[in-house]
């Protein structure tokens, strides 16, 4: 065997090291004079990169032991990789399918850090999830002194809890993203770990991005500098001066990014965040949030055409038994949810709605839970009960209605154009409008995150948006387009009291709601049933 010396390859100090030492898994003699076994290196090493690696592995083992103790199972390798990033102080996005343990990771890590005396903040999309999270954190051993959950509280409790938040008298804070938006000034700025569950919902208020960055130690000036760099990078044609300015500002932001005090972890599974502010994470924290490609699903998808939907619903629930979710098509409205609950209970089936606590459903005291089949509904996106949920029945096809005549919002017009795009690009007569359509979609995406308050301070921009939306409405009402929509198998056109409305399938809502029936757990992926009436 030929002996070799390598410059700069000692894993501990970066100095010279021989091939023999590398093969044995040892650092150079300067770092570790005596030869020990590979397993004993961490017990003998002093300072350096290898020592940091040993400390990280020791921390990770403690976290794994805590995970096993609290949950009775070992973490997935993916969850271990996320934990490693937390202990390295790196912010990141958890891009993974629903049901593989993103929320569990966030809760167990917050609990572990609480036991070490460090502070965490868990931000959730709905009040239903806040209640479920409170229960799970208590099961992980957090008591009233460590855990502060902002839920449905009396006025007296609200006052006491706000005082506790101001004083930092907690180790884990759990709230909705709306609480962050309204009460940011109360929050301490020394969080070790901030976990945003469902970043797509979080971004409905784009300013939340700024607020969560402030919690990690950045200033308004830092955020503005990052936004200026984003705008510069997106400039269509860049001169040599522009590239030089980008290099200069990037280096300045690299130094600014070192001031962060904690780790931000954001969870995303189904959405595609479009707010420009999401790019602040890239510039200040070094990670991006995008739309993952997800193929993990184990669901039998069935449908049945019937003119006796209510009777068939009762028969199905009696046949399928406990553990069902019933999703009512959004065009029926909330009133239908209450009517179906009454119908089922008359037939001896114990039911509750999405506005009620799910404890009885989880304990098996209620057979089914009923909600609206929309990706916004808490029952469709806030239920993770693989040991309970077995099937989902959809009362009516999940759909979205978009008015073509009333003063539709920017987001509604965006929905309409995105729904019509496949029809327009395939039709020979309408194809000429495709480029104009894409231009409208691009502009609406940019404007959809601007609040009414902000637009009132920018009258020129507000007028520009009004002119754009009027132009789009004229196109949507054109006779040629309406006649093509009437002939389409994919889009329906309905006459309403106020004129016409487009009706399109709510694909996202269906996938989100039916996905509650197929979840990842220690034994694999549960098999679910989805039945559309």
């Amino acid at each position: 065997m030929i002996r070799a010396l390598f410059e700069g390859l000692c894993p501990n100090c970066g100095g010279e090291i021989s091939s023999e030492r590398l093969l044995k898994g040892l650092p150079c003699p300067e770092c570790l004079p005596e030869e020990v076994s590979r397993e004993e290196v961490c017990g003998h090493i002093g300072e350096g990169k290898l020592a940091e690696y040993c400390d990280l592995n020791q921390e990770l083992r403690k976290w794994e032991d805590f995970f096993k103790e609290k949950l009775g199972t070992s973490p997935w390798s993916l969850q271990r990789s996320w934990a490693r990033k937390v202990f390295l102080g790196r912010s990141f996005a958890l891009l993974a399918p629903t049901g593989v343990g993103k929320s569990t990771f966030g809760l167990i890590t917050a609990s572990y850090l609480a036991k070490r005396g460090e502070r965490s903040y868990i931000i959730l999309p709905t009040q239903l999830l806040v209640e479920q999270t409170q229960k799970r954190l208590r099961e992980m051993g957090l008591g009233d002194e460590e855990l502060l959950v902002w839920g449905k509280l009396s006025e007296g409790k609200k006052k006491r809890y706000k005082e506790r938040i101001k004083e930092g008298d907690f180790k884990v804070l759990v709230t909705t993203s709306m609480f962050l938006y309204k009460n940011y000034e109360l929050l301490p700025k020394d969080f070790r770990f901030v976990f945003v569950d469902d970043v797509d919902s979080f971004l409905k208020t784009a300013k939340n991005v700024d607020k969560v960055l402030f919690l990690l130690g950045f200033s308004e000036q830092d955020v503005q500098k990052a936004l200026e760099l984003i705008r510069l990078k997106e400039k269509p044609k860049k001169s040599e001066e522009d590239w030089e300015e980008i290099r200069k500002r990037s280096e300045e932001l690299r130094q600014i990014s070192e001031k962060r005090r904690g780790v931000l972890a954001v969870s995303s599974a189904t959405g595609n965040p479009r707010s420009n502010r999401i790019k602040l994470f890239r510039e200040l924290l070094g990670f991006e949030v995008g739309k993952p490609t997800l193929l993990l699903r184990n669901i039998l998808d069935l449908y049945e055409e019937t003119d006796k939907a209510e009777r068939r619903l009762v028969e199905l629930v009696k046949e399928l038994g406990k553990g069902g979710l019933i999703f009512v098509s959004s065009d029926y409205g909330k009133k239908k949810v209450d009517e179906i609950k009454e119908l089922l209970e008359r037939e001896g089936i114990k039911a509750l709605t999405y506005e009620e606590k799910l404890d009885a459903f989880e304990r098996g005291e209620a057979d089914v839970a009923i909600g609206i089949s929309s990706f916004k509904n808490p029952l469709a996106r806030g239920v993770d009960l693989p040991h309970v949920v077995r099937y989902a029945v959809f009362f009516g096809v999940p759909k979205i209605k978009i008015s073509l005549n009333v003063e539709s919002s920017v987001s509604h017009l965006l929905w309409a154009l995105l729904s019509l795009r496949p029809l327009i690009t395939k039709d020979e007569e309408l194809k000429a409008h495709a480029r104009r359509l894409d231009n409208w979609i691009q502009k609406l995406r940019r404007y959809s995150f601007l609040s009414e308050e902000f637009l009132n301070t920018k009258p020129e921009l507000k007028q520009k948006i009004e002119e754009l939306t009027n132009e789009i409405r004229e196109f949507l009402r054109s006779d040629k387009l309406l006649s093509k929509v009437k002939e389409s198998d994919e889009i329906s056109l309905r006459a309403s009291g106020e004129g016409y409305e487009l009706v399109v399938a709510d694909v996202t809502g269906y996938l989100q709601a039916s996905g509650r029936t197929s979840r990842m757990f220690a034994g694999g992926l549960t098999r679910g049933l989805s039945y559309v009436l």
Side-chain angles (χ1 to χ4, degrees), residues 37-52:
S37 69
R38 188 187 298 257
E39 292 75 22
E40 294 176 307
V41 169
C42 283
H44 292 77
I45 200 74
E47 296 180 351
K49 292 180 183 175
L50 199 56
E52 292 172 13

Side-chain angles (χ1 to χ4, degrees), residues 417-430:
L417 294 183
L418 288 170
S419 303
L420 288 166
R421 192 181 183 284
L423 173 68
I424 290 169
T425 53
K426 284 187 288 186
D427 189 277
E428 288 301 321
E429 293 181 49
L430 295 174

Side-chain angles (χ1 to χ4, degrees), residues 43-86:
H44 292 77
I45 200 74
E47 296 180 351
K49 292 180 183 175
L50 199 56
E52 292 172 13
Y53 169 78
C54 291
D55 291 343
L56 172 64
N57 269 1
Q58 186 178 9
E59 194 68 66
L60 195 58
R61 279 195 295 273
K62 289 178 183 176
W63 177 85
E64 286 185 42
D65 291 342
F66 185 83
F67 192 107
K68 290 177 193 173
E69 178 194 340
K70 299 300 178 185
L71 301 179
T73 184
S74 297
W76 304 102
S77 59
L78 186 59
Q79 290 170 320
R80 283 199 296 273
S81 74
W82 293 333
R84 191 176 287 111
K85 288 178 181 178
V86 172

Side-chain angles (χ1 to χ4, degrees), residues 5-19 21-22 25-32 41 45 47-51:
L5 288 175
F6 296 96
E7 284 189 13
L9 280 192
C10 172
N12 193 53
C13 69
E16 186 181 272
I17 187 169
S18 69
S19 54
R21 300 279 292 198
L22 285 172
L26 301 173
C28 69
E30 295 290 324
C31 296
L32 187 63
V41 169
I45 200 74
E47 296 180 351
K49 292 180 183 175
L50 199 56

